[in-house]
Amino acid sequence: MSTAAPARWPRIVKDPTAFKRPPNLADPQAARERFRWSDARSWLDGLPGGAGLNIAHEAVDRHLQHGRGARIALRWIGKTGERRDLGYAELAAASSRFANALASLGLGAGDGVFVLMGRLPELYVAMLGALKARAVVTPLFSAFGPEPIATRCEMGDARLIVTTPELYQRKLRALRERLPRLAHVVLVGDAPPALLAEPGVHAWAALVDAQPDTWTIPATPPESPSLLHFTSGTTGRPKGAQHVHEAVLAHAMTGRYALDLHDDDIYWCTADPGWVTGTSYGIIAPLVCGVTSVVVEAEFDAATWYDVLERERVSVWYTAPTAIRMMMRLGTEPLAGRDLSALRFMASVGEPLNPEAVVWGREAFGLPFHDNWWQTETGGIMIANVPALDILPGSMGQPLPGITAAIVQRGTDGHVHPVGPGIDGELALKTPWPSMMRGYLNEQARYAKCFDGEWYLTGDLARVDDEGYYWFVGRADDVIKSAGHLIGPFEVESALIEHPAVAEAGVIGIPDETVGEVVKAFVALKPGFEASEALNRELLGHARKRLGAAVAPKSIEFRTNLPKTRSGKIMRRLLKARELGLPEGDLSTLESDEKK
Ligand code: AMP
């Protein structure tokens, strides 16, 4: 019995004779000892002529050379049920056309190419094409409001953005003056002629479709920048986690080991490519592993999702706790009579997966959900419940081959040191590994703060048990996870204090049964303003308009004063403790411990 496993949730013992197919990682323990990153490199081709390692080559073009061009890479299912299959050969041609389009605009290596759109085929083509051109790609979540979009485009020096006419008009058009470096906007779908007459605005069809469908990927040293993913910290602006092409080794390893992808799988990652999971595991890893990925444009709806699982014969499914909890609420009845016999492996990521949900998977789908852990900075899955490992419901699993994890605490010498099983501390990972971020954009000091010697400090609190399973305890900082999306309280506070009535704002996450946490703001008003229902509504509307639905607070409470440290920082921890009726302890005397 492990020290940390709650007795209430019995171990799910894996019986190798019952696997629908032998897992890629048959013996995780042995692989942890034997695995070298050079093994993952040997599964890939590298660019022809030893010209380096490019993610898009490994994800797409390589398959053509192995006779797999006709295999379906993406099976897109549109909101109104329309379908489009893109084979690996077609995806290679389409992404090459996009790389040529970038070149025709004078864009290439190192230039910032952003995408802001829902799950449309062009999103996948653009991201892969930009990687082929060695541009630096940033996905933006389509539910962001203008403020998060502008901040990220400014910080990441966006030169071109691919979006839809609707999103352009609603969110981007008014920002063009503020973003003088954003020279090109590529609109996917039918755009009104007036929009296309605006400076630098192009129709996808006119710009991309007529380009040559061959493209020679320029030499790509493995350390070349590939993706810039924005994530949130406790303070200041969002952090731009800089990734490189070498990360593809980790995508290959984790796709194969953590998600158990075999090249004949039908795979479905429900995450939106506006976030890192939807990019690393909705685009790169599955393509590198040569599977067919189902892409569903529509937002969550249990009946639609079950239809997709059944009709598409999905074999590997990667989803998230919020969605699982929403399905649980409906019970197993909507699943009655469905043929889900193709389903072989189910995994979850992004927020704590309650043990109930792991177990419910068995009741509903005949399989447990396999939780795994990683974050934007790590670039790929680090800790996972892999198929061959027993599950201790509530645990995130064990470190993958090539990854060394520990729970650390800071000692009197000022440095972190691993602690033993059963003791809470910060989850740390031993550097390096290929998909680790190489920096925070223009913020060397913030980046340096993430490390102590060889340890990368994740900002998560966890513990390990005596079998080596990791258990999530909480965040060490104030960031909020709502429906799997990481939200920086500072970004929300900044938008609120732009309102003329607001003197100060403190933003926290309040526990929520379905989405994990919901964003709540506490606001102190400027003299001359009175708290009222109407002002509350106005502030909620203001925040929603500026930040978008994904980031804005769901509720606002007025306070005469907000608790502050001696240096004047708002003590979110104290706000939270008071809100939740938790002991305040010595919180009131602490400087709010600002992490990265
Ligand atoms: P992001 O960078 O947006 O992917 O968020 C990463 C953070 O999400 C981690 O640092 C954790 O706080 C949380 N997270 C990710 N996976 C899990 C998991 N399996 N269990 C608990 N928390 C998780």
Side-chain angles (χ1 to χ4, degrees), residues 276 349-352 371-376 396 460 472 475 481 486:
V276 73
V349 73
E351 351 151 27
D371 190 16
N372 60 48
W373 179 97
W374 62 292
Q375 56 182 196
T376 304
M396 312 188 287
D460 278 5
F472 182 78
R475 286 288 306 190
K481 258 270 154 133
L486 204 63

Side-chain angles (χ1 to χ4, degrees), residues 191-466:
L195 284 191
L196 296 172
E198 291 182 14
V201 176
H202 313 264
W204 173 284
L207 177 71
V208 183
D209 289 349
Q211 296 287 342
D213 55 15
T214 54
W215 166 264
T216 304
I217 297 178
T220 310
E223 285 299 309
S224 311
S226 56
L227 288 137
L228 173 68
H229 279 295
F230 284 94
T231 182
S232 296
T234 303
T235 58
R237 300 203 296 177
K239 304 176 282 187
Q242 298 171 299
H243 291 281
V244 298
H245 281 270
E246 196 196 25
V248 71
L249 300 186
H251 299 136
M253 182 279 281
T254 52
R256 188 181 277 219
Y257 287 166
L259 299 177
D260 198 37
L261 295 175
H262 295 65
D263 65 8
D264 56 355
D265 269 315
I266 309 285
Y267 165 78
W268 184 23
C269 170
T270 62
D272 190 278
W275 302 92
V276 73
T277 300
T279 300
S280 291
Y281 295 98
I283 306 179
I284 301 169
L287 294 174
V288 167
C289 292
V291 308
T292 294
S293 273
V294 176
V295 175
V296 178
E297 187 192 7
E299 294 310 323
F300 173 81
D301 164 69
T304 312
W305 277 30
Y306 297 154
D307 283 349
V308 170
L309 289 172
E310 182 176 25
R311 194 185 52 229
E312 308 306 329
R313 303 208 46 80
V314 171
S315 52
V316 177
W317 186 27
Y318 195 22
T319 188
T322 291
I324 299 170
R325 289 189 290 260
M326 283 157 85
M327 290 183 276
M328 279 173 80
R329 289 221 314 244
L330 303 173
T332 53
E333 209 260 325
L335 283 158
R338 288 187 184 268
D339 173 10
L340 299 178
S341 56
L343 203 54
R344 173 171 65 75
F345 186 68
M346 309 196 304
S348 161
V349 73
E351 351 151 27
L353 181 66
N354 5 3
E356 296 87 333
V358 176
V359 174
W360 181 77
R362 284 180 118 186
E363 200 185 313
F365 303 98
L367 303 165
F369 282 103
H370 293 71
D371 190 16
N372 60 48
W373 179 97
W374 62 292
Q375 56 182 196
T376 304
E377 287 86 344
T378 70
I381 302 169
M382 299 281 108
I383 294 176
N385 284 286
V386 296
L389 200 65
D390 288 356
I391 297 180
L392 305 184
S395 158
M396 312 188 287
Q398 298 189 2
L400 286 168
I403 303 301
T404 304
I407 300 300
V408 300
Q409 285 183 354
R410 212 166 274 282
T412 46
D413 61 356
H415 293 290
V416 301
H417 301 279
V419 294
I423 300 171
D424 289 4
E426 185 163 357
L427 175 61
L429 301 162
K430 196 177 270 185
T431 56
W433 62 92
S435 61
M436 177 57 182
M437 66 165 167
R438 299 302 198 262
Y440 284 136
L441 182 69
N442 301 328
E443 290 191 284
Q444 182 49 35
R446 208 175 188 186
Y447 176 67
K449 261 190 171 178
C450 301
F451 300 91
D452 185 15
E454 63 187 350
W455 293 108
Y456 164 68
L457 306 170
T458 65
D460 278 5
L461 300 175
R463 62 178 171 268
V464 60
D465 66 21
D466 48 18

